[in-house]
Short mmCIF file of all heavy atoms in Angstrom, two decimals:
data_model
loop_
_atom_site.label_atom_id
_atom_site.label_comp_id
_atom_site.label_asym_id
_atom_site.label_seq_id
_atom_site.Cartn_x
_atom_site.Cartn_y
_atom_site.Cartn_z
N GLU A 379 -14.37 30.96 22.57
CA GLU A 379 -15.32 30.91 21.47
C GLU A 379 -14.90 31.69 20.26
O GLU A 379 -15.05 31.26 19.07
CB GLU A 379 -16.69 31.50 21.96
CG GLU A 379 -17.86 30.77 21.26
CD GLU A 379 -19.21 31.23 21.95
OE1 GLU A 379 -19.53 30.75 23.07
OE2 GLU A 379 -19.90 32.04 21.28
N ASP A 380 -14.36 32.78 20.41
CA ASP A 380 -13.92 33.64 19.28
C ASP A 380 -12.71 32.98 18.58
O ASP A 380 -12.56 33.13 17.37
CB ASP A 380 -13.60 35.06 19.67
CG ASP A 380 -12.62 35.20 20.70
OD1 ASP A 380 -12.28 34.14 21.37
OD2 ASP A 380 -12.04 36.29 20.93
N LEU A 381 -11.86 32.35 19.29
CA LEU A 381 -10.73 31.60 18.67
C LEU A 381 -11.20 30.48 17.80
O LEU A 381 -10.70 30.22 16.72
CB LEU A 381 -9.69 31.19 19.71
CG LEU A 381 -9.07 32.30 20.50
CD1 LEU A 381 -8.03 31.68 21.54
CD2 LEU A 381 -8.40 33.31 19.60
N ILE A 382 -12.17 29.70 18.41
CA ILE A 382 -12.75 28.55 17.68
C ILE A 382 -13.40 29.01 16.38
O ILE A 382 -13.22 28.42 15.31
CB ILE A 382 -13.72 27.79 18.59
CG1 ILE A 382 -13.03 27.12 19.75
CG2 ILE A 382 -14.51 26.83 17.72
CD1 ILE A 382 -13.98 26.44 20.72
N ARG A 383 -14.13 30.10 16.46
CA ARG A 383 -14.77 30.67 15.31
C ARG A 383 -13.77 31.05 14.25
O ARG A 383 -13.90 30.83 13.01
CB ARG A 383 -15.70 31.88 15.63
CG ARG A 383 -16.39 32.53 14.51
CD ARG A 383 -16.88 33.92 14.78
NE ARG A 383 -15.75 34.79 15.10
CZ ARG A 383 -14.91 35.42 14.25
NH1 ARG A 383 -15.10 35.17 12.91
NH2 ARG A 383 -13.94 36.16 14.59
N SER A 384 -12.67 31.78 14.75
CA SER A 384 -11.69 32.20 13.77
C SER A 384 -10.92 31.04 13.08
O SER A 384 -10.61 31.15 11.92
CB SER A 384 -10.70 33.12 14.48
OG SER A 384 -11.30 34.21 15.07
N LEU A 385 -10.68 30.04 13.79
CA LEU A 385 -10.06 28.82 13.19
C LEU A 385 -11.04 28.21 12.22
O LEU A 385 -10.65 27.72 11.09
CB LEU A 385 -9.71 27.81 14.26
CG LEU A 385 -8.47 28.11 15.14
CD1 LEU A 385 -8.52 27.28 16.41
CD2 LEU A 385 -7.16 27.91 14.34
N HIS A 386 -12.32 28.17 12.54
CA HIS A 386 -13.33 27.48 11.74
C HIS A 386 -13.50 28.24 10.37
O HIS A 386 -13.69 27.67 9.34
CB HIS A 386 -14.63 27.48 12.49
CG HIS A 386 -15.71 26.77 11.66
ND1 HIS A 386 -15.67 25.39 11.34
CD2 HIS A 386 -16.85 27.21 11.17
CE1 HIS A 386 -16.79 25.02 10.70
NE2 HIS A 386 -17.52 26.15 10.55
N VAL A 387 -13.45 29.58 10.42
CA VAL A 387 -13.71 30.36 9.24
C VAL A 387 -12.40 30.79 8.56
O VAL A 387 -12.44 31.34 7.46
CB VAL A 387 -14.55 31.58 9.48
CG1 VAL A 387 -15.98 31.12 10.10
CG2 VAL A 387 -13.87 32.57 10.45
N GLY A 388 -11.29 30.59 9.24
CA GLY A 388 -9.97 31.03 8.63
C GLY A 388 -9.69 32.45 8.76
O GLY A 388 -9.14 33.06 7.81
N ASP A 389 -10.10 33.00 9.89
CA ASP A 389 -9.71 34.43 10.10
C ASP A 389 -8.31 34.55 10.72
O ASP A 389 -8.12 34.75 11.93
CB ASP A 389 -10.79 35.02 11.02
CG ASP A 389 -10.61 36.60 11.19
OD1 ASP A 389 -9.67 37.15 10.64
OD2 ASP A 389 -11.53 37.25 11.74
N TRP A 390 -7.33 34.34 9.85
CA TRP A 390 -5.93 34.21 10.32
C TRP A 390 -5.44 35.49 10.87
O TRP A 390 -4.63 35.49 11.84
CB TRP A 390 -5.05 33.71 9.20
CG TRP A 390 -5.53 32.51 8.55
CD1 TRP A 390 -5.95 32.44 7.21
CD2 TRP A 390 -5.80 31.19 9.09
NE1 TRP A 390 -6.51 31.16 6.95
CE2 TRP A 390 -6.32 30.39 8.11
CE3 TRP A 390 -5.61 30.68 10.38
CZ2 TRP A 390 -6.68 29.11 8.27
CZ3 TRP A 390 -5.89 29.42 10.60
CH2 TRP A 390 -6.46 28.58 9.57
N ALA A 391 -5.79 36.68 10.38
CA ALA A 391 -5.35 37.93 10.87
C ALA A 391 -5.82 38.19 12.24
O ALA A 391 -5.05 38.71 13.14
CB ALA A 391 -5.86 39.08 9.95
N TYR A 392 -7.00 37.73 12.59
CA TYR A 392 -7.53 37.87 14.04
C TYR A 392 -6.71 37.01 15.00
O TYR A 392 -6.38 37.38 16.12
CB TYR A 392 -8.96 37.45 14.08
CG TYR A 392 -9.52 37.49 15.49
CD1 TYR A 392 -9.99 38.74 16.01
CD2 TYR A 392 -9.56 36.34 16.26
CE1 TYR A 392 -10.54 38.74 17.32
CE2 TYR A 392 -10.08 36.39 17.57
CZ TYR A 392 -10.59 37.58 18.05
OH TYR A 392 -11.07 37.63 19.34
N LEU A 393 -6.25 35.89 14.54
CA LEU A 393 -5.50 34.96 15.38
C LEU A 393 -4.07 35.29 15.58
O LEU A 393 -3.39 34.80 16.54
CB LEU A 393 -5.56 33.53 14.74
CG LEU A 393 -6.94 32.83 14.69
CD1 LEU A 393 -6.93 31.57 13.84
CD2 LEU A 393 -7.36 32.43 16.12
N GLN A 394 -3.54 36.14 14.71
CA GLN A 394 -2.14 36.44 14.71
C GLN A 394 -1.60 36.87 16.08
O GLN A 394 -0.50 36.41 16.51
CB GLN A 394 -1.75 37.49 13.67
CG GLN A 394 -0.30 37.83 13.63
CD GLN A 394 0.65 36.58 13.41
OE1 GLN A 394 0.45 35.80 12.59
NE2 GLN A 394 1.67 36.44 14.29
N ASN A 395 -2.18 37.77 16.76
CA ASN A 395 -1.71 38.29 17.98
C ASN A 395 -2.37 37.56 19.16
O ASN A 395 -2.23 37.99 20.37
CB ASN A 395 -1.90 39.73 18.14
CG ASN A 395 -1.10 40.50 17.11
OD1 ASN A 395 0.08 40.15 16.85
ND2 ASN A 395 -1.66 41.49 16.47
#
Side-chain angles (χ1 to χ4, degrees):
E379 213 171 284
D380 55 345
L381 298 181
I382 292 176
R383 178 198 62 80
S384 298
L385 286 164
H386 182 67
V387 302
D389 189 352
W390 309 115
Y392 177 82
L393 292 169
Q394 180 55 51
N395 294 317

